[in-house]
Amino acid sequence: MGASAVAGSAGCGEEAGDPNAEKINFGYIGDWNGTSLLAVAQKQGLWAKHGLDASIKVFTNGPLQVQALQTGDLDYGYIGPGAFWLPASGQAKIIAINTIGAADRVIAQPGITSVAGLRGRKVGVPEGTSGDMILTLALQKAGLTNADVERVPLDASTLVSAFASKQIDAAGFWYPAIATIKKTIPDLVELAKNDDFTDTVAFPNAFVAGNAVPAARTAKVVAVLREANDYRATHRDAAIAATAELLKLKVEDVTADAANSRTLTTAELDAATKDGTIAKWLTGMGDYFVGAGKLPQQADPASYYLGDVYTGAA
């Protein structure tokens, strides 16, 4: 993974430079879901507490981070639900579920009133992301397939400008980037959202590790994520402020972004791991990915979700 895939990077301030700390490279996406636990860990000194020196790097999507995991440029990263087929196909390990997302939408230019109305139109989508996932699900629900629209693969930043300049008719995309588009096209139409599909599939996002990363190091990272998750659950305003500071965004913008996800406590994630709920989510997503042609066959969640590592770090 070359530097061109990385939008920027940040060290961890006073935690960097400890000669006894184990150095790790951690990727993230610059939004509430992808950043908040890392922002809390940095602000609360959790990396140093657990003997780690973390260098964090921002990426535009999950698939780029998985590529970086495979080349060794990253040790850990963050992926949205649309990229879960990558660990399911053996390309990474999920080490922690983060939140349940509700930020994804199929959006269209004013005048397009239904998903069925997308037939033959140009639809932008960041491939292998939750935008791809919400688009495919919405098309299926409307009795269409991806072959019925003119898919235009775009990265997130290019999609914003392409939609705003009306070079595409619709998109599978997400907040907070949609809020940026609304500044130019305030009357854009939202044709589908995550909540339309809760009966069939969940939209969890997660932290992942490279396959070659030592288990002992991952146990330390999971301990940080668990502690940061507990802090986020009980100090939401402080977590939002820390995220806004790291991303150099307004607190109100991060607050609005945070409203598009459901935060789970560490205790809830432990319970969901032990009672098979997370395995059920992953199996449901696996069915989707098989149907969408991303996976050749369903994979056992236990082969790529390190649930024992997560609960074992309690």
Side-chain angles (χ1 to χ4, degrees), residues 258-282:
N260 287 314
S261 66
R262 180 163 67 90
T263 301
L264 302 168
T265 66
T266 302
E268 287 174 327
L269 289 170
D270 281 342
T273 297
K274 294 174 181 177
D275 69 11
T277 297
I278 290 176
K280 183 179 179 181
W281 293 345
L282 297 177

Side-chain angles (χ1 to χ4, degrees), residues 154 287 299:
L154 297 168
D287 289 339

Side-chain angles (χ1 to χ4, degrees), residues 86-275:
L86 292 164
S89 62
Q91 298 182 55
K93 301 294 185 186
I94 293 175
I95 62 171
I97 299 295
N98 182 28
T99 67
I100 303 297
D104 304 297
R105 302 287 188 274
V106 175
I107 58 173
Q109 300 287 353
I112 300 174
T113 58
S114 69
V115 175
L118 298 180
R119 184 186 294 272
R121 294 183 183 267
K122 292 183 178 179
V123 183
V125 60
E127 296 283 1
T129 67
S130 56
D132 187 347
M133 190 172 178
I134 193 81
L135 174 63
T136 302
L137 288 168
L139 290 172
Q140 289 174 352
K141 191 172 183 179
L144 302 177
T145 70
N146 281 300
D148 292 315
V149 301
E150 185 180 341
R151 281 174 64 103
V152 182
L154 297 168
D155 64 36
S157 59
T158 306
L159 193 151
V160 169
S161 58
F163 194 101
S165 60
K166 300 190 176 182
Q167 296 175 47
I168 53 176
D169 301 301
F173 209 30
W174 52 76
Y175 281 96
I178 292 173
T180 302
I181 296 174
K182 282 186 172 181
K183 294 175 182 177
T184 304
I185 306 179
D187 52 347
L188 65 79
V189 183
E190 296 187 5
L191 300 178
K193 58 186 184 299
N194 301 83
D195 289 348
D196 296 339
F197 308 101
T198 51
D199 290 345
T200 55
V201 66
F203 287 79
N205 45 75
F207 296 97
V208 291
N211 289 326
V213 176
R217 185 184 306 164
T218 295
K220 292 181 183 180
V221 170
V222 169
V224 171
L225 295 174
R226 289 175 63 92
E227 194 166 338
N229 193 56
D230 283 334
Y231 183 93
R232 182 178 63 182
T234 55
H235 301 81
R236 186 175 177 84
D237 289 348
I240 287 172
T243 304
E245 180 181 346
L246 179 58
L247 295 177
K248 297 179 173 58
L249 295 174
K250 295 178 180 178
V251 168
E252 52 265 36
D253 291 340
V254 177
T255 301
D257 183 19
N260 287 314
S261 66
R262 180 163 67 90
T263 301
L264 302 168
T265 66
T266 302
E268 287 174 327
L269 289 170
D270 281 342
T273 297
K274 294 174 181 177
D275 69 11

